[in-house]
Amino acid sequence: MKIHYGMAQWQHPAWVNWLYPTSLPTGERLGRYSHVFSTVEVGSTFYTKVDDAQLLRWYESVVDGFKFSFKAPQTVTHRLIERSWSDVQHDWLAFMLSLQPLQAKLGPTMLQFPAICDERALDTIFALCDMWTLSTPLSVEVRHLAYFNKSQTERRFLAGLSDREVNRVVMDSRPVFSTDAYCESLIDAQKKKPRVPCHPVVTANHPVVRFIGHPDLPRNELWLDQWAAKLSQWLSQGLTPSVFVHSSDNIAAPTLAAQLDERVRILNPYYQSALALPHSQEQVSLW
């Protein structure tokens, strides 16, 4: 039984002298991070081509058992409609080739499609899934509301992923939209994060959750309880979830992950947590 917990980044100014000491060089923070969390979202591959040597340095800096979840390039996903299919295929194949040496430490790679990709893009999404050649999991995140309407489109989407053993990414942005945006981080989060229904449906063995927490930590308790129950259910089914915890400013994200994991431990006596945040005065003073 294992849950891979991770953040959307491996360093944050507020985590200095908490997750890693002030004296630790910036280039060594990923390695220290990997002693606390067992996965991380890597968004840099979405924005630009990361040099193969850099990918290898990241790979070598983390402990065994750690899993990277790289995001596919935006030229494959967010520019899917405007580009030729041959160009999209070329970039997708090149990206897979760059990940091949890293397979021992790969979690679910993410194909993240924007809201502009409606049901007309579904066959193309499936075609990209069919091209996946690595032995590691693949996941798909969609943001157009047609994929959340519990009608033929969503049923076909879920069935297609299941047939291909591809994981659906479950986005839970309910916490950050549960109040008015009364601070700068909430304003930013409500502008950037998708407001889509939360449908925790499993389509393969490595379900992926992206939880966007509210900066007022007690407000997250309802959703943390719900996710603890769902994760416990998935564990009992032999699944291996990856849970990426965000918050509107990401300062509190590690604490939210620990709170969620403690709830899972209480519900499931056979579950042994591997998540243990370091204690420090700085951690206490953050909240």
Side-chain angles (χ1 to χ4, degrees):
M1 288 186 175
K2 185 172 182 64
I3 300 173
H4 288 284
Y5 288 101
M7 305 289 104
Q9 58 200 92
W10 60 73
Q11 55 182 327
H12 190 291
W15 300 347
V16 175
N17 211 13
W18 173 26
L19 296 187
Y20 30 72
T22 306
S23 59
L24 190 71
T26 302
E28 297 179 20
R29 289 177 180 173
L30 174 57
R32 181 61 62 90
Y33 169 98
S34 73
H35 285 275
V36 179
F37 299 103
S38 59
T39 189
V40 68
E41 284 185 24
V42 185
S44 51
T45 50
F46 170 82
Y47 295 103
T48 187
K49 184 185 185 307
V50 178
D51 184 76
D52 290 346
Q54 179 62 69
L55 292 174
L56 187 58
R57 284 193 292 270
W58 289 343
Y59 176 91
E60 293 176 341
S61 70
V62 299
V63 299
D64 291 343
F66 188 85
K67 302 296 182 183
F68 291 97
S69 282
F70 293 100
K71 289 185 180 180
Q74 60 182 326
T75 56
V76 174
T77 56
H78 281 54
R79 296 178 59 194
L80 177 68
I81 295 175
E82 67 186 69
R83 302 181 74 222
S84 69
W85 175 235
S86 61
D87 287 345
V88 170
Q89 284 181 300
H90 176 272
D91 287 358
W92 184 220
L93 289 170
F95 181 62
M96 282 189 280
L97 183 63
S98 72
L99 297 184
Q100 280 185 352
L102 315 179
Q103 290 183 82
K105 295 179 180 177
L106 284 187
T109 300
M110 294 186 187
L111 281 164
Q112 184 185 84
F113 296 96
I116 195 174
C117 291
D118 58 17
E119 63 272 21
R120 292 171 293 181
L122 186 52
D123 287 334
T124 308
I125 292 173
F126 286 158
L128 290 171
C129 293
D130 290 337
M131 290 175 61
W132 183 249
T133 58
L134 304 188
S135 60
T136 53
L138 179 66
S139 64
V140 170
E141 179 183 332
V142 288
R143 297 185 173 186
H144 192 279
L145 291 179
Y147 294 103
F148 299 87
N149 58 12
K150 298 185 178 181
S151 65
Q152 182 178 355
T153 298
E154 185 173 15
R155 289 195 296 269
R156 182 169 173 246
F157 172 59
L158 295 175
L161 294 185
S162 181
D163 289 344
R164 293 165 172 82
E165 298 184 351
V166 172
N167 303 276
R168 181 181 191 172
V169 176
V170 181
M171 166 67 74
D172 190 355
S173 59
R174 293 174 297 173
V176 292
F177 289 104
S178 64
T179 65
D180 292 334
Y182 60 79
C183 63
E184 188 173 326
S185 70
L186 273 177
I187 292 172
D188 187 61
Q190 290 184 8
K191 286 181 179 179
K192 295 179 179 179
K193 302 301 182 184
R195 191 170 190 173
V196 295
C198 180
H199 291 178
V201 180
V202 170
T203 56
N205 292 329
H206 300 272
V208 178
V209 177
R210 301 183 71 223
F211 180 85
I212 319 296
H214 196 282
D216 182 3
L217 295 190
R219 290 185 177 275
N220 296 287
E221 291 183 359
L222 170 64
W223 298 290
L224 292 177
D225 287 341
Q226 291 176 356
W227 275 114
K230 179 58 67 176
L231 291 169
S232 296
Q233 176 188 347
W234 288 350
L235 289 174
S236 68
Q237 295 171 349
L239 305 176
T240 305
S242 294
V243 182
F244 298 101
V245 182
H246 308 231
S247 63
S248 61
D249 56 14
N250 279 330
I251 294 175
T255 298
L256 286 172
Q259 291 179 349
L260 174 57
D261 193 54
E262 175 62 15
R263 284 166 165 80
V264 175
R265 189 193 63 79
I266 292 172
L267 289 176
N268 194 327
Y270 300 103
Y271 171 69
Q272 293 185 346
S273 173
L275 175 58
L277 297 184
H279 296 286
S280 74
Q281 183 60 40
E282 285 71 21
Q283 177 185 0
V284 174
S285 66
L286 282 175
W287 326 128

